[in-house]
Amino acid sequence: MHRHHDDEDHEHDRGLSYDLPVLARRRMIRLMAGASLVPLVGCSTDDDTSASASSSSTASSGGSSSSAECATIPNETAGPYPGDGSNGVNVLKESGVVRSDITKSFGDSAGGTADGVPLTITLTVVDASSGCGTPKEGAAVYLWHCDREGNYSLYSEGVTDENYLRGVQETDDQGQVTFKSVFPACYTGRWPHIHFEVYGSLDDATAATSITNTSQLALPKDVCDTVYATDGYSRSVQNLGRLSLETDNIFSDGYDQQMATLEGSVEQGYTATLTVPV
């Protein structure tokens, strides 16, 4: 039986003291960029209306605005479970990591499948220096997140032999990558989120070198509430009830650029989209 991260002694993202240097850099960058920067089109807030699990379709995108200027996606900590070789295991050099469907583990020693409400994640990587108008074709994205129980493959007790919910994709001519996954849990102390790293090329990603950007995607509260009311997510209900985006140690200084737009339903699955300027 897998042990939940709520019961573990160590933390997922090392706490505020670990992240302060990252947050300080972000504030300095934003001050230098000027107060005129506003969120990109497609970014959303958590001021959306509540979704219904019984509805056939749900949209969550909040208020959005655009600007002639474009800010690079905020850099964040990769946390203690990146699996990119920076903290123990390295999944990026394993055959099979380049894939779109990340719900199952790959390789000879792993055979597990992550359960949960289906979630398709589409990131569009664009060139920030061009005002976000130019797609970054031929870049690569490594994406990972916890499972329905709040566990991270490769690290958490009971799933150290698994590598599900981790994968790499090369961006197409529209700068897009798409991953088939499941909706992640909300574990103690962190707002529901998805980690990703951007690389200049697929070769860089599979060599685990030359990361250009490391960030996190936030999930909107209304959809989280709907998903967490389904079977298997009961612990997430309690954990989310103790949190807010304003008190999360990653998103508390701003999350407009990192808040995904979600559409869909529990029955049909959700699609999360986010523009990622680099």
Side-chain angles (χ1 to χ4, degrees), residues 81 102 114 119 121 142-148 151-153 164-166 179-185 187 193-195:
Y81 308 128
I102 61 174
L119 176 66
I121 306 156
Y142 167 44
L143 181 144
W144 73 98
H145 62 82
C146 71
D147 62 18
R148 186 172 64 179
N151 295 317
Y152 281 86
S153 66
Y164 54 55
L165 306 183
R166 298 178 184 274
F179 296 91
K180 177 184 176 183
S181 191
V182 296
F183 208 94
Y187 54 78
H193 63 283
I194 293 171
H195 296 266

Side-chain angles (χ1 to χ4, degrees), residues 65-104:
S65 55
S66 62
S67 172
E69 298 185 64
C70 173
T72 302
I73 193 80
N75 278 309
E76 309 287 10
T77 175
Y81 308 128
D84 61 2
S86 63
N87 184 22
V89 294
N90 190 343
V91 74
L92 295 177
K93 294 185 178 181
E94 295 185 16
S95 176
V97 72
V98 180
R99 60 197 185 132
S100 180
D101 186 345
I102 61 174
T103 59
K104 300 179 181 180

